[in-house]
Short mmCIF file of all heavy atoms in Angstrom, two decimals:
data_model
loop_
_atom_site.label_atom_id
_atom_site.label_comp_id
_atom_site.label_asym_id
_atom_site.label_seq_id
_atom_site.Cartn_x
_atom_site.Cartn_y
_atom_site.Cartn_z
N MET A 22 14.07 -6.66 5.82
CA MET A 22 12.80 -6.08 5.82
C MET A 22 12.59 -5.09 4.62
O MET A 22 11.48 -5.07 4.06
CB MET A 22 12.58 -5.14 7.15
CG MET A 22 12.54 -6.05 8.42
SD MET A 22 11.14 -7.39 8.30
CE MET A 22 9.76 -6.42 8.16
N LEU A 23 13.68 -4.54 4.18
CA LEU A 23 13.48 -3.71 2.89
C LEU A 23 13.19 -4.56 1.72
O LEU A 23 12.32 -4.16 1.00
CB LEU A 23 14.98 -3.07 2.81
CG LEU A 23 15.00 -2.06 1.46
CD1 LEU A 23 14.14 -0.88 1.59
CD2 LEU A 23 16.48 -1.58 1.27
N LEU A 24 13.98 -5.63 1.60
CA LEU A 24 13.60 -6.57 0.49
C LEU A 24 12.17 -7.00 0.61
O LEU A 24 11.53 -7.12 -0.52
CB LEU A 24 14.60 -7.69 0.53
CG LEU A 24 16.04 -7.41 0.09
CD1 LEU A 24 16.93 -8.53 0.24
CD2 LEU A 24 16.09 -6.79 -1.28
N LEU A 25 11.74 -7.43 1.74
CA LEU A 25 10.29 -7.91 1.86
C LEU A 25 9.33 -6.68 1.57
O LEU A 25 8.22 -7.09 0.85
CB LEU A 25 10.10 -8.49 3.28
CG LEU A 25 10.72 -9.80 3.49
CD1 LEU A 25 10.53 -10.20 4.98
CD2 LEU A 25 10.07 -10.85 2.60
N ALA A 26 9.60 -5.58 2.21
CA ALA A 26 8.66 -4.47 1.91
C ALA A 26 8.59 -4.12 0.39
O ALA A 26 7.37 -3.79 -0.06
CB ALA A 26 9.18 -3.29 2.69
N ILE A 27 9.78 -4.10 -0.30
CA ILE A 27 9.67 -3.83 -1.65
C ILE A 27 8.96 -4.83 -2.49
O ILE A 27 8.02 -4.57 -3.27
CB ILE A 27 11.10 -3.62 -2.32
CG1 ILE A 27 11.69 -2.31 -1.69
CG2 ILE A 27 11.09 -3.65 -3.79
CD1 ILE A 27 13.15 -2.07 -2.09
N ALA A 28 9.20 -6.24 -2.15
CA ALA A 28 8.55 -7.29 -2.82
C ALA A 28 7.18 -7.26 -2.54
O ALA A 28 6.31 -7.61 -3.62
CB ALA A 28 9.18 -8.54 -2.31
N THR A 29 6.64 -6.89 -1.50
CA THR A 29 5.18 -6.91 -1.23
C THR A 29 4.41 -5.77 -1.64
O THR A 29 3.27 -5.70 -1.61
CB THR A 29 4.83 -7.21 0.26
OG1 THR A 29 5.38 -6.05 1.06
CG2 THR A 29 5.38 -8.48 0.86
N SER A 30 5.16 -4.68 -2.15
CA SER A 30 4.46 -3.44 -2.61
C SER A 30 4.69 -3.16 -3.97
O SER A 30 4.30 -2.10 -4.45
CB SER A 30 5.05 -2.32 -1.72
OG SER A 30 6.44 -2.06 -1.97
N ILE A 31 5.29 -3.98 -4.83
CA ILE A 31 5.43 -3.77 -6.20
C ILE A 31 4.17 -3.64 -6.92
O ILE A 31 3.95 -2.68 -7.74
CB ILE A 31 6.35 -4.88 -6.92
CG1 ILE A 31 7.72 -4.88 -6.48
CG2 ILE A 31 6.19 -4.71 -8.38
CD1 ILE A 31 8.52 -3.61 -6.75
N ASP A 32 3.16 -4.44 -6.52
CA ASP A 32 1.85 -4.17 -7.23
C ASP A 32 1.20 -2.83 -6.87
O ASP A 32 0.53 -2.29 -7.62
CB ASP A 32 0.89 -5.33 -6.66
CG ASP A 32 0.76 -5.63 -5.18
OD1 ASP A 32 1.60 -5.06 -4.47
OD2 ASP A 32 0.03 -6.53 -4.77
N ALA A 33 1.51 -2.29 -5.68
CA ALA A 33 0.98 -1.00 -5.39
C ALA A 33 1.57 0.14 -6.30
O ALA A 33 0.79 1.12 -6.54
CB ALA A 33 1.30 -0.64 -3.81
N LEU A 34 2.73 -0.10 -6.75
CA LEU A 34 3.35 0.78 -7.84
C LEU A 34 2.36 0.96 -9.03
O LEU A 34 2.05 1.94 -9.58
CB LEU A 34 4.74 0.35 -8.13
CG LEU A 34 5.48 1.27 -9.30
CD1 LEU A 34 5.93 2.56 -8.61
CD2 LEU A 34 6.62 0.41 -9.83
N ALA A 35 1.91 -0.33 -9.50
CA ALA A 35 1.11 -0.36 -10.62
C ALA A 35 -0.23 0.30 -10.37
O ALA A 35 -0.79 0.99 -11.25
CB ALA A 35 0.80 -1.74 -11.11
N VAL A 36 -0.76 0.03 -9.20
CA VAL A 36 -1.97 0.64 -8.78
C VAL A 36 -1.91 2.19 -8.67
O VAL A 36 -2.76 2.96 -9.20
CB VAL A 36 -2.55 0.16 -7.38
CG1 VAL A 36 -3.65 1.00 -6.83
CG2 VAL A 36 -2.86 -1.45 -7.55
N GLY A 37 -0.77 2.66 -8.32
CA GLY A 37 -0.42 4.20 -8.28
C GLY A 37 -0.48 4.76 -9.64
O GLY A 37 -1.06 5.88 -9.85
N ILE A 38 -0.08 4.08 -10.66
CA ILE A 38 -0.14 4.50 -12.10
C ILE A 38 -1.60 4.74 -12.44
O ILE A 38 -1.99 5.69 -13.04
CB ILE A 38 0.54 3.60 -12.97
CG1 ILE A 38 2.12 3.63 -12.62
CG2 ILE A 38 0.43 3.95 -14.56
CD1 ILE A 38 3.03 2.53 -13.41
N THR A 39 -2.44 3.79 -12.09
CA THR A 39 -3.80 3.87 -12.35
C THR A 39 -4.55 5.07 -11.64
O THR A 39 -5.42 5.61 -12.15
CB THR A 39 -4.59 2.55 -12.17
OG1 THR A 39 -4.60 2.37 -10.72
CG2 THR A 39 -4.05 1.32 -12.82
N PHE A 40 -4.00 5.25 -10.40
CA PHE A 40 -4.60 6.39 -9.68
C PHE A 40 -4.43 7.78 -10.54
O PHE A 40 -5.29 8.58 -10.47
CB PHE A 40 -3.91 6.56 -8.38
CG PHE A 40 -4.32 5.62 -7.35
CD1 PHE A 40 -3.56 5.46 -6.14
CD2 PHE A 40 -5.41 4.79 -7.45
CE1 PHE A 40 -3.99 4.60 -5.21
CE2 PHE A 40 -5.72 3.98 -6.56
CZ PHE A 40 -5.09 3.80 -5.38
N ALA A 41 -3.31 7.94 -11.20
CA ALA A 41 -2.98 9.14 -12.00
C ALA A 41 -4.06 9.28 -13.14
O ALA A 41 -4.62 10.46 -13.39
CB ALA A 41 -1.72 9.08 -12.56
N PHE A 42 -4.57 8.23 -13.60
CA PHE A 42 -5.55 8.29 -14.67
C PHE A 42 -7.01 8.41 -14.14
O PHE A 42 -7.90 8.92 -14.93
CB PHE A 42 -5.53 7.06 -15.62
CG PHE A 42 -4.09 6.74 -16.04
CD1 PHE A 42 -3.66 5.37 -15.93
CD2 PHE A 42 -3.26 7.71 -16.62
CE1 PHE A 42 -2.43 5.08 -16.48
CE2 PHE A 42 -2.10 7.37 -17.00
CZ PHE A 42 -1.62 6.19 -16.97
N LEU A 43 -7.30 8.04 -13.01
CA LEU A 43 -8.55 8.02 -12.32
C LEU A 43 -8.86 9.21 -11.53
O LEU A 43 -9.81 9.29 -10.94
CB LEU A 43 -8.78 6.81 -11.43
CG LEU A 43 -8.61 5.36 -12.28
CD1 LEU A 43 -8.66 4.25 -11.28
CD2 LEU A 43 -9.79 5.22 -13.25
N LYS A 44 -7.81 10.14 -11.45
CA LYS A 44 -7.98 11.40 -10.69
C LYS A 44 -8.38 11.19 -9.25
O LYS A 44 -9.20 11.75 -8.70
CB LYS A 44 -9.15 12.29 -11.33
CG LYS A 44 -8.96 12.60 -12.84
CD LYS A 44 -7.81 13.66 -13.02
CE LYS A 44 -8.05 14.20 -14.51
NZ LYS A 44 -7.02 13.62 -15.35
N VAL A 45 -7.59 10.32 -8.72
CA VAL A 45 -7.79 9.84 -7.16
C VAL A 45 -7.11 11.02 -6.31
O VAL A 45 -6.11 11.52 -6.71
CB VAL A 45 -7.18 8.52 -7.06
CG1 VAL A 45 -7.09 8.18 -5.57
CG2 VAL A 45 -7.91 7.43 -7.76
N ASN A 46 -7.66 11.27 -5.21
CA ASN A 46 -7.08 12.00 -4.20
C ASN A 46 -5.85 11.18 -3.61
O ASN A 46 -6.19 10.42 -2.80
CB ASN A 46 -8.02 12.49 -3.18
CG ASN A 46 -7.50 13.19 -2.00
OD1 ASN A 46 -6.18 13.27 -1.77
ND2 ASN A 46 -8.28 13.97 -1.23
N ILE A 47 -4.67 11.52 -4.06
CA ILE A 47 -3.56 10.71 -3.93
C ILE A 47 -3.18 10.79 -2.32
O ILE A 47 -2.84 9.71 -1.83
CB ILE A 47 -2.32 10.98 -4.70
CG1 ILE A 47 -1.27 10.01 -4.66
CG2 ILE A 47 -1.71 12.40 -4.42
CD1 ILE A 47 -1.78 8.62 -5.20
N VAL A 48 -3.37 11.82 -1.72
CA VAL A 48 -2.94 11.85 -0.29
C VAL A 48 -3.87 10.89 0.52
O VAL A 48 -3.41 10.21 1.40
CB VAL A 48 -3.01 13.39 0.20
CG1 VAL A 48 -2.87 13.43 1.74
CG2 VAL A 48 -1.99 14.21 -0.42
N MET A 49 -5.21 10.98 0.19
CA MET A 49 -6.11 10.15 0.96
C MET A 49 -5.86 8.66 0.63
O MET A 49 -5.91 7.76 1.44
CB MET A 49 -7.67 10.60 0.55
CG MET A 49 -8.70 9.66 1.19
SD MET A 49 -9.08 8.19 0.22
CE MET A 49 -9.80 8.87 -1.26
N ALA A 50 -5.50 8.46 -0.74
CA ALA A 50 -5.24 7.03 -1.20
C ALA A 50 -4.14 6.44 -0.44
O ALA A 50 -4.12 5.37 0.06
CB ALA A 50 -5.27 7.05 -2.72
N VAL A 51 -2.84 7.14 -0.55
CA VAL A 51 -1.61 6.58 -0.09
C VAL A 51 -1.77 6.53 1.48
O VAL A 51 -1.25 5.62 2.13
CB VAL A 51 -0.45 7.33 -0.52
CG1 VAL A 51 -0.29 7.14 -2.00
CG2 VAL A 51 -0.33 8.75 0.04
N SER A 52 -2.47 7.39 2.13
CA SER A 52 -2.60 7.38 3.59
C SER A 52 -3.41 6.24 3.97
O SER A 52 -3.00 5.37 4.87
CB SER A 52 -3.32 8.64 4.10
OG SER A 52 -2.46 9.81 3.83
N THR A 53 -4.51 6.00 3.23
CA THR A 53 -5.41 4.82 3.59
C THR A 53 -4.63 3.54 3.36
O THR A 53 -4.72 2.63 4.19
CB THR A 53 -6.65 4.90 2.76
OG1 THR A 53 -7.28 6.14 2.99
CG2 THR A 53 -7.64 3.76 3.04
N ILE A 54 -4.04 3.29 2.25
CA ILE A 54 -3.32 2.15 1.89
C ILE A 54 -2.27 1.89 2.93
O ILE A 54 -2.03 0.79 3.47
CB ILE A 54 -2.69 2.23 0.41
CG1 ILE A 54 -3.76 2.24 -0.60
CG2 ILE A 54 -1.67 1.17 0.24
CD1 ILE A 54 -3.46 2.62 -1.98
N GLY A 55 -1.53 2.96 3.33
CA GLY A 55 -0.43 2.73 4.27
C GLY A 55 -0.90 2.30 5.66
O GLY A 55 -0.41 1.37 6.18
N VAL A 56 -1.90 3.03 6.15
CA VAL A 56 -2.49 2.65 7.54
C VAL A 56 -3.11 1.26 7.47
O VAL A 56 -2.91 0.59 8.42
CB VAL A 56 -3.48 3.86 7.92
CG1 VAL A 56 -4.25 3.36 9.22
CG2 VAL A 56 -2.77 5.09 8.18
N VAL A 57 -3.84 0.90 6.44
CA VAL A 57 -4.59 -0.31 6.40
C VAL A 57 -3.54 -1.36 6.49
O VAL A 57 -3.67 -2.49 7.08
CB VAL A 57 -5.49 -0.46 5.14
CG1 VAL A 57 -5.98 -1.77 4.95
CG2 VAL A 57 -6.73 0.53 5.42
N THR A 58 -2.51 -1.24 5.54
CA THR A 58 -1.33 -2.31 5.42
C THR A 58 -0.60 -2.31 6.76
O THR A 58 -0.36 -3.54 7.20
CB THR A 58 -0.40 -1.89 4.31
OG1 THR A 58 -1.17 -1.85 3.05
CG2 THR A 58 0.62 -2.98 4.25
N LEU A 59 -0.39 -1.35 7.41
CA LEU A 59 0.28 -1.29 8.72
C LEU A 59 -0.57 -2.18 9.71
O LEU A 59 -0.08 -3.12 10.40
CB LEU A 59 0.44 0.14 9.26
CG LEU A 59 1.28 0.28 10.60
CD1 LEU A 59 1.96 1.57 10.54
CD2 LEU A 59 0.48 0.13 11.77
N ILE A 60 -1.81 -1.89 9.80
CA ILE A 60 -2.65 -2.54 10.89
C ILE A 60 -2.78 -4.07 10.42
O ILE A 60 -2.62 -4.93 11.29
CB ILE A 60 -4.00 -1.92 10.87
CG1 ILE A 60 -3.90 -0.43 11.53
CG2 ILE A 60 -5.01 -2.71 11.64
CD1 ILE A 60 -5.16 0.38 11.34
N ILE A 61 -3.03 -4.40 9.20
CA ILE A 61 -3.12 -5.72 8.82
C ILE A 61 -1.88 -6.60 8.82
O ILE A 61 -1.99 -7.71 9.25
CB ILE A 61 -3.78 -5.72 7.35
CG1 ILE A 61 -5.25 -5.35 7.31
CG2 ILE A 61 -3.61 -7.19 6.70
CD1 ILE A 61 -5.87 -5.32 5.95
N SER A 62 -0.75 -5.87 8.47
CA SER A 62 0.47 -6.62 8.80
C SER A 62 0.86 -6.90 10.01
O SER A 62 1.37 -8.04 10.48
CB SER A 62 1.65 -5.79 8.07
OG SER A 62 1.39 -5.63 6.64
N ALA A 63 0.65 -5.88 11.00
CA ALA A 63 0.94 -6.14 12.44
C ALA A 63 0.00 -7.23 12.97
O ALA A 63 0.59 -8.15 13.73
CB ALA A 63 0.69 -4.84 13.19
N ALA A 64 -1.21 -7.22 12.50
CA ALA A 64 -2.16 -8.30 13.05
C ALA A 64 -1.62 -9.55 12.36
O ALA A 64 -1.75 -10.67 13.08
CB ALA A 64 -3.50 -8.00 12.58
N GLY A 65 -1.19 -9.60 11.16
CA GLY A 65 -0.64 -10.78 10.56
C GLY A 65 0.51 -11.48 11.34
O GLY A 65 0.64 -12.67 11.38
N VAL A 66 1.38 -10.81 11.93
CA VAL A 66 2.50 -11.29 12.58
C VAL A 66 1.90 -11.99 13.82
O VAL A 66 2.25 -13.27 14.19
CB VAL A 66 3.46 -10.10 13.24
CG1 VAL A 66 4.42 -10.72 14.19
CG2 VAL A 66 4.12 -9.45 12.06
N TYR A 67 0.87 -11.35 14.62
CA TYR A 67 0.28 -12.11 15.68
C TYR A 67 -0.49 -13.42 15.23
O TYR A 67 -0.52 -14.45 15.86
CB TYR A 67 -0.75 -11.20 16.40
CG TYR A 67 -0.03 -10.20 17.41
CD1 TYR A 67 0.16 -8.99 17.09
CD2 TYR A 67 0.57 -10.77 18.61
CE1 TYR A 67 0.77 -8.08 17.87
CE2 TYR A 67 1.15 -9.78 19.46
CZ TYR A 67 1.34 -8.55 19.12
OH TYR A 67 1.98 -7.67 19.94
N ILE A 68 -1.21 -13.24 14.04
CA ILE A 68 -1.95 -14.44 13.55
C ILE A 68 -1.09 -15.53 13.24
O ILE A 68 -1.33 -16.72 13.52
CB ILE A 68 -2.94 -13.88 12.43
CG1 ILE A 68 -3.96 -13.12 13.01
CG2 ILE A 68 -3.52 -15.12 11.70
CD1 ILE A 68 -4.76 -12.26 11.96
N GLY A 69 0.06 -15.12 12.58
CA GLY A 69 0.90 -16.25 12.14
C GLY A 69 1.55 -16.91 13.37
O GLY A 69 1.79 -18.11 13.35
#
């Protein structure tokens, strides 16, 4: 699970770099990204 989690989130690291330049509310952004991914991933297990 650790390997899969890292592999599926590498692109989010690059997005985080862009957040710094865009003056994004990082707490809101990472919370939203985490919750949305949690829900979509859990649903993905059932859908699969």
